[in-house]
Amino acid sequence: MRFLGNIEAKTDAKGRAFLPAQFRKVLSASGEESLVLRQDVFEKILVIYPESVWCAMMDEMRAKLSRWDRQQQMVYRTFVSSVINLAVDGNGRILIPKPFLQQAGIRQAIRFVGMGDTIEIWPNEPDDQQPFMETTAFGQALEQLMSTDTPPTLNDD
């Protein structure tokens, strides 16, 4: 399953937004009906996980974390407790609860960004942070990442 694209949309007064048709087609072709919504760990955005992707990630995380380590349990608890299940209604809309919209700083305009096996939801007002790197910085970072066998860490310079 691969979500690709960058689609602008709007939420209505109730927090509903049309999930882009190309993303709905990917979900349908994959037999996915359930979605999970969570605020991103690193950015002030929301991430939609198809349930199978979410479950695989939970299995991987659980396998790496000890149930007998207090901090690891807190990390796991924090990660999995801040989610909701989403459903796509008959009109192709999802309902994003107000607290999630507020956490991500979303007012009305949004941007759906396909990230392979997940979909990001970014605020899309003129003064909001943008989800993409500047062209020159992107080219340099991509060259650095793809020209080595061992992935280097990127600096935020």
Side-chain angles (χ1 to χ4, degrees), residues 16-34:
R16 294 177 300 199
F18 285 99
L19 188 64
Q22 66 196 62
F23 295 161
R24 291 195 314 266
K25 287 178 187 175
V26 171
L27 289 167
S28 179
S30 301
E32 293 279 353
E33 294 182 14
S34 297

Side-chain angles (χ1 to χ4, degrees), residues 33-72:
E33 294 182 14
S34 297
L35 303 171
V36 175
L37 180 70
R38 179 179 208 298
Q39 184 171 356
D40 187 64
V41 174
F42 302 108
E43 302 286 345
K44 194 175 175 183
I45 63 170
L46 304 175
V47 181
I48 297 173
Y49 300 86
E51 187 175 45
S52 65
V53 172
W54 176 259
C55 289
M57 191 171 56
M58 292 298 86
D59 292 345
E60 178 184 0
M61 184 181 272
R62 177 46 67 205
K64 289 182 178 184
L65 299 176
S66 170
R67 292 178 188 266
W68 305 109
D69 181 295
R70 183 182 304 271
Q71 183 176 12
Q72 290 181 19

Side-chain angles (χ1 to χ4, degrees), residues 101 117 150:
L101 293 171
D117 62 354
T150 307

Side-chain angles (χ1 to χ4, degrees), residues 63 89 107 130:
D89 71 14
R107 294 180 288 282
Q130 293 300 309

